[in-house]
Amino acid sequence: MEFELVEVFGTGPLTGGPLGVVVLDTRCDDALMQRLAARLAMPETVFLRSGDDGEVDVRIFTPYVELGFAGHPLVGAAAVAVQRGLATPGWVAMRTRSGIVRARVGPGADSAVLEERSCRVGPPVVPDLVCEAVGLASDAAAGPVRLASAGLGFVCLPVSAADLRSAQALPLEVAALAERVPGLGDVFGVAVFVPRLPEVRSRVFVPEPVCAEDPATGSAALAVAGWLAHEGRPEESLAFEIVQGTADLGFARMRVEVRGQADRGLLASVGGAVRTLVRGRLMLDETTDRA
Protein backbone atom coordinates (compact mmCIF):
# COMPACT_ATOMS: atom_id res chain seq x y z
CA MET A 1 0.00 0.00 0.00
CA GLU A 2 1.28 3.45 -0.91
CA PHE A 3 1.36 5.75 2.13
CA GLU A 4 1.77 9.47 2.77
CA LEU A 5 1.98 11.59 5.90
CA VAL A 6 0.31 14.88 5.02
CA GLU A 7 0.06 18.15 6.95
CA VAL A 8 -3.24 19.96 6.42
CA PHE A 9 -3.81 23.65 7.22
CA GLY A 10 -0.15 24.01 8.22
CA THR A 11 1.70 27.31 8.45
CA GLY A 12 5.12 25.69 7.99
CA PRO A 13 6.86 22.31 8.37
CA LEU A 14 5.55 20.22 11.28
CA THR A 15 2.49 22.41 11.79
CA GLY A 16 -1.19 21.94 11.00
CA GLY A 17 -3.03 18.66 11.29
CA PRO A 18 -1.12 15.43 10.57
CA LEU A 19 -3.02 13.02 8.35
CA GLY A 20 -2.15 9.50 7.30
CA VAL A 21 -3.17 8.77 3.70
CA VAL A 22 -3.21 5.19 2.39
CA VAL A 23 -3.84 4.64 -1.33
CA LEU A 24 -5.60 1.33 -2.07
CA ASP A 25 -5.77 -0.63 -5.34
CA THR A 26 -8.60 -2.84 -4.09
CA ARG A 27 -11.08 -2.93 -1.22
CA CYS A 28 -9.58 -3.38 2.24
CA ASP A 29 -11.00 -5.11 5.29
CA ASP A 30 -12.59 -2.68 7.78
CA ALA A 31 -10.86 -4.26 10.77
CA LEU A 32 -7.47 -3.96 9.07
CA MET A 33 -8.05 -0.26 8.32
CA GLN A 34 -8.98 0.37 11.93
CA ARG A 35 -5.92 -1.48 13.23
CA LEU A 36 -3.67 0.41 10.84
CA ALA A 37 -5.15 3.75 11.92
CA ALA A 38 -4.51 2.78 15.55
CA ARG A 39 -0.92 1.80 14.75
CA LEU A 40 -0.22 5.03 12.85
CA ALA A 41 -1.77 7.05 15.73
CA MET A 42 -2.56 10.09 13.60
CA PRO A 43 -5.62 12.16 14.59
CA GLU A 44 -7.14 10.62 11.44
CA THR A 45 -6.03 8.26 8.68
CA VAL A 46 -7.85 8.17 5.34
CA PHE A 47 -7.97 5.33 2.82
CA LEU A 48 -8.39 6.36 -0.83
CA ARG A 49 -9.51 4.24 -3.77
CA SER A 50 -10.74 5.02 -7.28
CA GLY A 51 -14.51 4.84 -7.35
CA ASP A 52 -17.18 4.92 -10.02
CA ASP A 53 -17.92 7.85 -12.34
CA GLY A 54 -14.73 9.69 -11.44
CA GLU A 55 -15.46 9.67 -7.71
CA VAL A 56 -12.89 8.83 -5.05
CA ASP A 57 -13.91 6.43 -2.29
CA VAL A 58 -12.71 7.78 1.07
CA ARG A 59 -12.83 6.06 4.46
CA ILE A 60 -11.87 8.07 7.56
CA PHE A 61 -10.57 6.48 10.78
CA THR A 62 -9.33 7.90 14.06
CA PRO A 63 -7.19 5.53 16.18
CA TYR A 64 -10.46 4.41 17.80
CA VAL A 65 -13.47 4.80 15.47
CA GLU A 66 -14.53 5.38 11.87
CA LEU A 67 -16.01 8.78 11.02
CA GLY A 68 -18.53 9.62 8.33
CA PHE A 69 -17.26 13.18 7.97
CA ALA A 70 -14.21 15.15 9.09
CA GLY A 71 -12.81 18.42 7.78
CA HIS A 72 -9.03 18.25 7.62
CA PRO A 73 -8.98 14.59 6.42
CA LEU A 74 -11.25 15.40 3.46
CA VAL A 75 -9.29 18.54 2.53
CA GLY A 76 -6.09 16.46 2.57
CA ALA A 77 -7.71 13.51 0.79
CA ALA A 78 -8.91 15.71 -2.09
CA ALA A 79 -5.45 17.21 -2.66
CA VAL A 80 -3.66 13.84 -2.49
CA ALA A 81 -6.24 12.29 -4.83
CA VAL A 82 -5.31 14.89 -7.47
CA GLN A 83 -1.59 14.46 -6.83
CA ARG A 84 -1.95 10.69 -7.26
CA GLY A 85 -4.05 10.90 -10.42
CA LEU A 86 -7.20 9.53 -8.81
CA ALA A 87 -8.97 12.80 -9.68
CA THR A 88 -8.35 15.88 -11.81
CA PRO A 89 -7.90 19.46 -10.56
CA GLY A 90 -11.14 21.29 -9.91
CA TRP A 91 -14.05 19.80 -8.02
CA VAL A 92 -13.23 16.38 -6.54
CA ALA A 93 -16.19 14.22 -5.53
CA MET A 94 -15.43 11.98 -2.54
CA ARG A 95 -17.78 9.19 -1.52
CA THR A 96 -17.77 8.88 2.26
CA ARG A 97 -19.93 6.92 4.66
CA SER A 98 -22.09 10.04 5.07
CA GLY A 99 -22.51 10.60 1.33
CA ILE A 100 -20.77 12.62 -1.39
CA VAL A 101 -18.52 15.45 -0.21
CA ARG A 102 -16.91 17.74 -2.79
CA ALA A 103 -13.75 19.82 -2.49
CA ARG A 104 -12.15 22.22 -4.96
CA VAL A 105 -8.45 21.54 -5.62
CA GLY A 106 -6.26 23.95 -7.56
CA PRO A 107 -3.80 23.05 -10.35
CA GLY A 108 -0.87 22.78 -7.91
CA ALA A 109 -2.83 20.42 -5.62
CA ASP A 110 -1.24 22.16 -2.62
CA SER A 111 -4.53 23.38 -1.14
CA ALA A 112 -8.21 22.50 -1.15
CA VAL A 113 -11.53 24.00 -0.05
CA LEU A 114 -14.55 21.99 1.02
CA GLU A 115 -17.82 22.78 -0.68
CA GLU A 116 -20.29 24.74 1.45
CA ARG A 117 -22.06 22.63 4.04
CA SER A 118 -25.20 23.28 6.04
CA CYS A 119 -24.33 24.15 9.64
CA ARG A 120 -26.84 23.59 12.43
CA VAL A 121 -26.51 25.62 15.63
CA GLY A 122 -28.35 24.45 18.73
CA PRO A 123 -29.79 26.32 21.71
CA PRO A 124 -27.58 27.36 24.63
CA VAL A 125 -26.51 24.61 27.03
CA VAL A 126 -25.49 24.85 30.68
CA PRO A 127 -21.83 25.96 30.46
CA ASP A 128 -20.28 24.90 33.78
CA LEU A 129 -19.51 21.24 32.98
CA VAL A 130 -18.30 22.17 29.49
CA CYS A 131 -15.83 24.66 30.99
CA GLU A 132 -14.64 22.14 33.57
CA ALA A 133 -14.19 19.46 30.86
CA VAL A 134 -11.34 21.54 29.41
CA GLY A 135 -9.80 22.51 32.75
CA LEU A 136 -11.37 25.96 33.11
CA ALA A 137 -13.39 27.58 35.87
CA SER A 138 -17.10 26.87 35.66
CA ASP A 139 -17.85 30.51 34.81
CA ALA A 140 -15.20 30.90 32.08
CA ALA A 141 -17.65 31.08 29.16
CA ALA A 142 -17.59 34.52 27.48
CA GLY A 143 -20.86 33.96 25.64
CA PRO A 144 -23.55 31.34 24.97
CA VAL A 145 -22.25 27.77 24.80
CA ARG A 146 -23.89 25.93 21.90
CA LEU A 147 -23.57 22.66 20.01
CA ALA A 148 -22.95 23.26 16.30
CA SER A 149 -22.42 20.78 13.49
CA ALA A 150 -21.74 20.72 9.77
CA GLY A 151 -21.31 16.95 9.86
CA LEU A 152 -19.53 16.40 13.17
CA GLY A 153 -20.80 18.00 16.37
CA PHE A 154 -18.65 20.32 18.48
CA VAL A 155 -19.74 22.26 21.52
CA CYS A 156 -18.56 25.84 20.93
CA LEU A 157 -17.11 27.48 24.05
CA PRO A 158 -16.19 31.18 23.68
CA VAL A 159 -13.57 32.34 26.20
CA SER A 160 -11.04 35.07 26.89
CA ALA A 161 -7.51 34.92 25.44
CA ALA A 162 -6.13 34.06 28.90
CA ASP A 163 -8.54 31.15 29.32
CA LEU A 164 -7.74 29.89 25.82
CA ARG A 165 -4.09 29.58 26.90
CA SER A 166 -5.08 27.89 30.18
CA ALA A 167 -7.37 25.21 28.71
CA GLN A 168 -6.28 21.58 29.17
CA ALA A 169 -6.77 18.31 27.34
CA LEU A 170 -8.97 16.10 29.56
CA PRO A 171 -10.27 13.42 27.19
CA LEU A 172 -12.29 11.49 29.77
CA GLU A 173 -14.10 14.65 30.84
CA VAL A 174 -14.85 15.54 27.22
CA ALA A 175 -16.12 12.00 26.60
CA ALA A 176 -18.53 12.33 29.54
CA LEU A 177 -20.22 15.50 28.22
CA ALA A 178 -22.66 13.60 26.00
CA GLU A 179 -24.21 11.96 29.05
CA ARG A 180 -23.71 14.69 31.64
CA VAL A 181 -24.99 17.76 29.77
CA PRO A 182 -28.52 17.90 28.31
CA GLY A 183 -28.46 18.83 24.64
CA LEU A 184 -24.99 17.39 23.94
CA GLY A 185 -25.93 13.87 22.90
CA ASP A 186 -24.25 14.28 19.50
CA VAL A 187 -21.09 16.04 20.69
CA PHE A 188 -17.70 14.83 19.43
CA GLY A 189 -15.43 17.45 20.96
CA VAL A 190 -15.08 20.94 22.43
CA ALA A 191 -14.01 23.94 20.35
CA VAL A 192 -12.58 26.60 22.68
CA PHE A 193 -12.11 29.94 20.94
CA VAL A 194 -11.77 33.70 21.31
CA PRO A 195 -14.68 35.22 19.33
CA ARG A 196 -12.71 38.07 17.83
CA LEU A 197 -12.73 38.71 14.07
CA PRO A 198 -11.04 38.77 11.58
CA GLU A 199 -8.64 36.20 13.11
CA VAL A 200 -10.21 33.75 15.54
CA ARG A 201 -7.84 31.88 17.86
CA SER A 202 -8.94 28.40 18.87
CA ARG A 203 -8.04 25.06 20.44
CA VAL A 204 -10.00 21.83 20.03
CA PHE A 205 -10.27 18.94 22.49
CA VAL A 206 -11.62 15.47 21.70
CA PRO A 207 -12.30 12.32 23.78
CA GLU A 208 -9.44 10.27 22.29
CA PRO A 209 -6.39 9.87 24.56
CA VAL A 210 -3.87 9.46 21.72
CA CYS A 211 -4.79 12.85 20.24
CA ALA A 212 -6.66 14.56 23.09
CA GLU A 213 -5.91 18.02 21.68
CA ASP A 214 -6.46 18.08 17.94
CA PRO A 215 -4.00 20.43 16.23
CA ALA A 216 -6.20 21.25 13.20
CA THR A 217 -9.93 20.57 12.97
CA GLY A 218 -11.86 21.62 9.89
CA SER A 219 -15.17 20.31 11.20
CA ALA A 220 -14.73 22.35 14.39
CA ALA A 221 -13.90 25.42 12.28
CA LEU A 222 -17.24 24.97 10.49
CA ALA A 223 -19.00 24.70 13.86
CA VAL A 224 -17.33 27.88 15.15
CA ALA A 225 -18.27 29.65 11.90
CA GLY A 226 -21.88 28.68 12.50
CA TRP A 227 -21.71 29.95 16.09
CA LEU A 228 -20.25 33.30 15.01
CA ALA A 229 -22.88 33.79 12.30
CA HIS A 230 -25.68 32.79 14.66
CA GLU A 231 -24.52 35.22 17.35
CA GLY A 232 -23.92 38.05 14.85
CA ARG A 233 -25.91 38.77 11.72
CA PRO A 234 -26.88 35.45 10.11
CA GLU A 235 -28.03 37.20 6.94
CA GLU A 236 -24.54 38.65 6.31
CA SER A 237 -21.59 36.77 4.84
CA LEU A 238 -18.43 36.38 6.92
CA ALA A 239 -14.94 35.55 5.66
CA PHE A 240 -12.18 35.14 8.21
CA GLU A 241 -9.33 32.92 9.40
CA ILE A 242 -9.14 30.54 12.33
CA VAL A 243 -5.71 29.96 13.84
CA GLN A 244 -5.76 26.77 15.91
CA GLY A 245 -3.12 25.20 18.12
CA THR A 246 -0.35 26.05 20.56
CA ALA A 247 3.36 26.76 20.37
CA ASP A 248 4.05 23.13 21.30
CA LEU A 249 1.66 21.63 18.74
CA GLY A 250 2.29 24.20 16.06
CA PHE A 251 -0.37 26.41 14.53
CA ALA A 252 -2.89 25.63 11.82
CA ARG A 253 -4.51 28.30 9.66
CA MET A 254 -7.94 27.73 8.11
CA ARG A 255 -9.80 30.01 5.71
CA VAL A 256 -13.48 30.01 6.61
CA GLU A 257 -16.58 31.51 5.00
CA VAL A 258 -20.15 31.40 6.28
CA ARG A 259 -23.38 32.91 4.98
CA GLY A 260 -27.06 32.64 5.67
CA GLN A 261 -29.78 31.69 3.21
CA ALA A 262 -33.46 31.93 4.02
CA ASP A 263 -34.26 28.50 2.62
CA ARG A 264 -31.09 26.63 3.63
CA GLY A 265 -29.98 28.23 6.89
CA LEU A 266 -26.27 28.72 7.53
CA LEU A 267 -23.77 27.51 4.92
CA ALA A 268 -20.07 27.28 5.77
CA SER A 269 -16.89 26.22 4.01
CA VAL A 270 -13.30 25.70 5.13
CA GLY A 271 -10.03 25.33 3.26
CA GLY A 272 -6.29 25.68 3.49
CA ALA A 273 -2.87 24.36 2.63
CA VAL A 274 -1.92 20.69 2.10
CA ARG A 275 1.73 19.62 2.33
CA THR A 276 3.18 16.12 1.98
CA LEU A 277 5.85 15.39 4.57
CA VAL A 278 6.56 11.67 4.01
CA ARG A 279 5.94 9.24 1.17
CA GLY A 280 6.52 5.52 1.42
CA ARG A 281 5.07 2.03 1.19
CA LEU A 282 3.33 0.02 3.89
CA MET A 283 4.45 -3.63 3.86
CA LEU A 284 1.53 -5.73 5.03
CA ASP A 285 2.49 -9.19 3.79
CA GLU A 286 0.71 -12.10 5.43
CA THR A 287 2.61 -13.76 8.27
CA THR A 288 2.02 -16.89 10.27
CA ASP A 289 0.19 -16.47 13.57
CA ARG A 290 2.43 -18.28 16.07
CA ALA A 291 0.36 -17.48 19.16
Side-chain angles (χ1 to χ4, degrees):
M1 298 179 183
E2 297 294 325
F3 168 77
E4 295 191 17
L5 174 56
V6 175
E7 295 171 338
V8 183
F9 303 140
T11 55
L14 299 178
T15 64
L19 175 69
V21 182
V22 180
V23 182
L24 303 173
D25 291 329
T26 60
R27 295 184 184 276
C28 185
D29 180 73
D30 290 5
L32 177 59
M33 288 190 284
Q34 184 64 77
R35 289 203 308 274
L36 184 52
R39 182 64 60 90
L40 294 174
M42 298 290 106
E44 286 93 6
T45 297
V46 296
F47 296 81
L48 310 184
R49 189 172 64 86
S50 293
D52 300 326
D53 300 323
E55 298 170 353
V56 180
D57 289 337
V58 181
R59 302 283 294 275
I60 309 166
F61 290 83
T62 78
Y64 302 93
V65 297
E66 183 174 7
L67 301 177
F69 173 83
H72 103 270
L74 288 170
V75 168
V80 173
V82 171
Q83 295 169 12
R84 290 280 184 164
L86 302 179
T88 57
W91 285 105
V92 176
M94 296 173 285
R95 182 172 294 278
T96 73
R97 291 195 66 183
S98 63
I100 296 294
V101 177
R102 290 168 21 111
R104 187 177 69 249
V105 181
D110 57 359
S111 65
V113 180
L114 288 183
E115 187 176 36
E116 285 183 325
R117 295 181 62 83
S118 175
C119 185
R120 304 185 311 277
V121 182
V125 301
V126 178
D128 53 353
L129 292 178
V130 177
C131 295
E132 292 169 5
V134 292
L136 298 178
S138 60
D139 61 351
V145 178
R146 301 177 184 271
L147 180 68
S149 175
L152 197 60
F154 285 85
V155 58
C156 297
L157 172 59
V159 299
S160 68
D163 281 332
L164 181 70
R165 292 190 294 270
S166 299
Q168 302 175 49
L170 303 172
L172 296 181
E173 297 296 319
V174 172
L177 287 175
E179 293 184 356
R180 298 180 66 191
V181 180
L184 295 186
D186 295 327
V187 67
F188 181 74
V190 180
V192 186
F193 64 100
V194 180
R196 186 180 302 152
L197 296 171
E199 185 179 273
V200 175
R201 294 278 174 164
S202 75
R203 296 172 67 187
V204 176
F205 302 96
V206 297
E208 301 194 338
V210 169
C211 308
E213 179 168 0
D214 197 343
T217 321
S219 50
L222 296 173
V224 169
W227 187 98
L228 289 165
H230 187 278
E231 294 300 313
R233 297 178 178 269
E235 70 280 3
E236 294 183 358
S237 297
L238 290 176
F240 58 96
E241 292 192 329
I242 292 180
V243 177
Q244 179 181 332
T246 65
D248 291 336
L249 287 174
F251 291 98
R253 185 174 294 272
M254 291 162 273
R255 297 187 295 273
V256 184
E257 295 185 13
V258 59
R259 62 191 179 97
Q261 281 198 335
D263 58 339
R264 297 180 63 189
L266 293 172
L267 300 174
S269 66
V270 62
V274 179
R275 172 192 176 97
T276 296
L277 184 66
V278 173
R279 288 192 178 98
R281 178 169 290 182
L282 295 169
M283 311 303 291
L284 299 179
D285 294 337
E286 293 186 10
T287 59
T288 302
D289 184 354
R290 302 185 184 278

